[in-house]
Amino acid sequence: MNTINRSIKNSIAVLLLFVSFSSCKKFLEEDPKNLVSVKNYYQTQSDAVAAVNSVYAYLNSVDNFAQGGNTAGVYHSTFWVTAGLASDEMENNQVGTPYFDQLATFQYNAQNSVFQELWAMEYKTVTIANIAIARIPSIDMDATLRTRLVGEAKFLRGLMYFDLVRWFGKVPLITQEDAPLYPSLSSVDDVYTQIIADLKDAADALPSQYEGSKDHEIGRATAGAANAILAKVYLTRGDWTNAAAYAKKVIDSQQYALWDDYADVFKLSSRNGKEAIFSVGFGDGGGAISFWEVGQFNVRLLPTELSADGVQNSQGWQRPTQYLYDQFASDDRRRDVTFITQVDGNPIHPYFQKYWDKVAEPTGNGSSNDFPVIRYADVLLMYAEASNELGNMDDAYTYINMVRKRARTTPGSVPDYAGLTQDQFRDAVLKERQLELSCEGHRWFDLVRTHKLETLVPLAKPAVTPTANDYVFPLPQYETDTNPNLK
């Protein structure tokens, strides 16, 4: 469980200072009605802790309806639903959501409300992080904690910009508390330079692990989380040497390991366990400030047929493509964990069930499961991919086969990879990521960085034909209408 959620109630005062930032204009304007006073707030150690907690709060449970959004929090659901629908992984089954239909069929434009939501929530988080980074260093407090808190804020800012630059390409790079009212677009290279600087600073400032639950430390960013995201940044940039180096740092830290059974990854008892590198928690928040504090894995993903079995809120709004289901071998343990294909013995179209802990949450209503921003299996596959590109085939096979080994149901099932060409290994690791990480918000990014959108999406959706224009999303129409420098 991410116990940072439990401290949200202590951060409400901070949140209220900043919740009026929707567009580039709005998130840079102060609303005197909502201000306790920024200048008067950052005075004590508890102020500093609450300020950083408020950055985390935007990852999961801050209400976005006031900005015309569909859900709440960066990783609440729109993030991973978008990455699934705009790929070969997922199709929309939610009536009355044209914005999701457009994503699934690649018929979207700049007016799609999903893009505004992704933009608004991530820039809100950046704004709160910027203020914390600027204000906390001047607070008279424990020096070690002060350094750590600034490191956490930099990690979260770097993570948000990594999302933004991958979604939209050129975006405004705002790192100061006092920013221009109408910021201009920055180059992709400049944004990545800032991301890397933030994550390196975070890796230097953050501990490898936290002791107990003091100051609600479970679920906070660690040095391992910063290094893991750095590995993904370098992988996305095609810098194989640094991608391998940072992934290996995570591996060599010996802070993480795979659960023996793939099903254990998604049990509530495994939250923030040995495979979790950085996760965002839902539910169990204590002192909720928003209805959307619970997660939507179950309501969105479980089939409506389960309602007859006492699962009260399963809507099946987004479901896997038949193509995705067919990629799994019948003896791959991950297939039975990931999908539900029958109810009471009656076959149904496959639906995702991997986040449903049937024992802990038998009614399948609001989920308390974590969203895994990055977990250890992802790092192993990144290291295997980078090793292949560098010609280090011993490591490439060792680490991809570690992930495959866990998927075996019987001896001989899901066999090790061996004897592949470099191109064949590229295809193999991309498929392994598809099987291991489905419905975890990675697929669109993986297809974009490997330039596979045009070739793989039509296999799952024969009527859909992505083009080179689909490798970044359009800037939200509201933003370009409001800010003349985004034209």
Side-chain angles (χ1 to χ4, degrees), residues 333-464:
R333 170 65 171 151
R334 294 170 296 192
R335 190 181 77 164
D336 289 342
V337 172
T338 301
F339 305 106
I340 181 172
T341 58
Q342 60 177 341
V343 175
D344 294 332
N346 299 314
I348 59 171
H349 185 285
Y351 284 82
F352 290 111
Q353 68 167 357
K354 68 192 295 183
Y355 293 106
W356 184 27
D357 189 329
K358 300 176 187 178
V359 175
E361 297 180 329
T363 60
N365 289 318
S367 174
S368 291
N369 219 327
D370 286 357
F371 174 71
V373 175
I374 192 163
R375 56 186 177 88
Y376 189 54
D378 191 352
V379 172
L380 298 179
L381 292 174
M382 287 195 291
Y383 185 61
E385 182 175 347
S387 296
N388 176 61
E389 298 296 337
L390 294 170
N392 183 359
M393 298 313 297
D394 287 343
D395 278 353
Y397 286 118
T398 294
Y399 287 94
I400 194 172
N401 288 331
M402 283 176 63
V403 176
R404 286 180 67 77
K405 178 181 179 181
R406 180 173 64 178
R408 292 176 189 154
T409 55
T410 58
S413 66
V414 192
D416 283 354
Y417 285 116
L420 303 178
T421 66
Q422 188 178 55
D423 282 342
Q424 289 172 333
F425 194 97
R426 288 177 182 136
D427 291 340
V429 75
L430 182 61
K431 181 173 181 179
E432 204 61 32
R433 293 182 62 81
Q434 179 186 44
L435 304 178
E436 178 70 23
L437 305 171
S438 63
C439 201
E440 295 183 37
H442 298 288
R443 188 60 175 172
W444 183 81
F445 298 114
D446 282 345
L447 294 185
V448 166
R449 69 178 180 80
T450 58
H451 305 283
K452 295 288 188 179
L453 271 180
E454 299 101 319
T455 55
L456 293 185
V457 170
L459 299 180
K461 303 171 181 178
V464 177

Side-chain angles (χ1 to χ4, degrees), residues 31 44-46 57 94 118 125 138 151 198 235 311 321 335 379 387 431 479:
D31 181 357
T44 68
Q45 180 165 300
S46 61
Q94 186 176 1
L118 294 171
T125 311
S138 63
D198 276 347
L235 196 81
V311 177
T321 61
R335 190 181 77 164
V379 172
S387 296
K431 181 173 181 179
E479 304 302 327

Side-chain angles (χ1 to χ4, degrees), residues 136-452:
I136 290 174
S138 63
I139 297 176
D140 183 11
M141 59 180 289
D142 178 83
T144 301
L145 178 58
R146 181 173 56 213
T147 298
R148 193 201 85 192
L149 291 172
V150 173
E152 289 180 73
K154 286 188 174 183
F155 169 84
L156 295 168
R157 182 174 68 181
L159 179 62
M160 292 301 96
Y161 271 122
F162 186 39
D163 291 345
L164 283 163
V165 75
R166 290 185 296 166
W167 288 131
F168 299 108
K170 294 180 180 179
V171 295
L173 181 58
I174 303 166
T175 60
Q176 302 298 320
E177 180 180 350
D178 297 321
L181 184 60
Y182 296 116
S184 299
L185 295 173
S186 297
S187 71
V188 168
D189 286 344
D190 285 348
V191 177
Y192 271 109
T193 296
Q194 183 63 51
I195 292 167
I196 291 168
D198 276 347
L199 293 175
K200 285 184 174 180
D201 285 350
D204 289 339
L206 297 178
S208 59
Q209 60 182 340
Y210 293 85
E211 298 297 332
S213 58
K214 183 180 178 182
D215 289 330
H216 310 286
E217 291 169 344
I218 297 175
R220 292 186 180 275
T222 61
N227 286 326
I229 299 298
L230 272 167
K232 183 156 288 193
V233 168
Y234 285 120
L235 196 81
T236 302
R237 299 291 277 164
D239 183 342
W240 310 115
T241 299
N242 275 312
Y246 280 94
K248 197 64 163 58
K249 279 188 177 184
V250 178
I251 295 168
D252 290 345
S253 73
Q254 299 184 351
Q255 294 290 321
Y256 310 100
L258 297 177
W259 293 103
D260 291 337
D261 184 354
Y262 187 70
D264 290 339
V265 178
F266 306 101
K267 291 179 179 178
L268 267 62
S269 59
S270 299
R271 292 176 297 179
N272 285 289
K274 61 184 179 180
E275 193 163 337
I277 296 178
F278 185 69
S279 303
V280 174
F282 293 93
D284 297 336
I289 62 171
S290 168
F291 173 80
W292 295 104
E293 188 175 39
V294 295
Q296 279 203 337
F297 302 118
N298 294 336
V299 63
R300 287 192 173 274
L301 301 177
L302 295 179
T304 56
E305 288 86 350
L306 280 174
S307 60
D309 282 0
V311 177
Q312 301 169 15
N313 199 26
S314 54
Q315 301 295 325
W317 286 334
Q318 283 79 42
R319 65 185 189 181
T321 61
Q322 185 66 44
Y323 171 82
L324 172 63
Y325 178 79
D326 291 342
Q327 299 311 297
F328 289 76
S330 60
D331 56 4
D332 190 323
R333 170 65 171 151
R334 294 170 296 192
R335 190 181 77 164
D336 289 342
V337 172
T338 301
F339 305 106
I340 181 172
T341 58
Q342 60 177 341
V343 175
D344 294 332
N346 299 314
I348 59 171
H349 185 285
Y351 284 82
F352 290 111
Q353 68 167 357
K354 68 192 295 183
Y355 293 106
W356 184 27
D357 189 329
K358 300 176 187 178
V359 175
E361 297 180 329
T363 60
N365 289 318
S367 174
S368 291
N369 219 327
D370 286 357
F371 174 71
V373 175
I374 192 163
R375 56 186 177 88
Y376 189 54
D378 191 352
V379 172
L380 298 179
L381 292 174
M382 287 195 291
Y383 185 61
E385 182 175 347
S387 296
N388 176 61
E389 298 296 337
L390 294 170
N392 183 359
M393 298 313 297
D394 287 343
D395 278 353
Y397 286 118
T398 294
Y399 287 94
I400 194 172
N401 288 331
M402 283 176 63
V403 176
R404 286 180 67 77
K405 178 181 179 181
R406 180 173 64 178
R408 292 176 189 154
T409 55
T410 58
S413 66
V414 192
D416 283 354
Y417 285 116
L420 303 178
T421 66
Q422 188 178 55
D423 282 342
Q424 289 172 333
F425 194 97
R426 288 177 182 136
D427 291 340
V429 75
L430 182 61
K431 181 173 181 179
E432 204 61 32
R433 293 182 62 81
Q434 179 186 44
L435 304 178
E436 178 70 23
L437 305 171
S438 63
C439 201
E440 295 183 37
H442 298 288
R443 188 60 175 172
W444 183 81
F445 298 114
D446 282 345
L447 294 185
V448 166
R449 69 178 180 80
T450 58
H451 305 283
K452 295 288 188 179

Side-chain angles (χ1 to χ4, degrees), residues 31-42:
D31 181 357
K33 297 188 297 296
N34 288 336
L35 285 176
V36 173
S37 176
V38 173
K39 293 180 180 179
N40 293 334
Y41 189 81
Y42 291 88

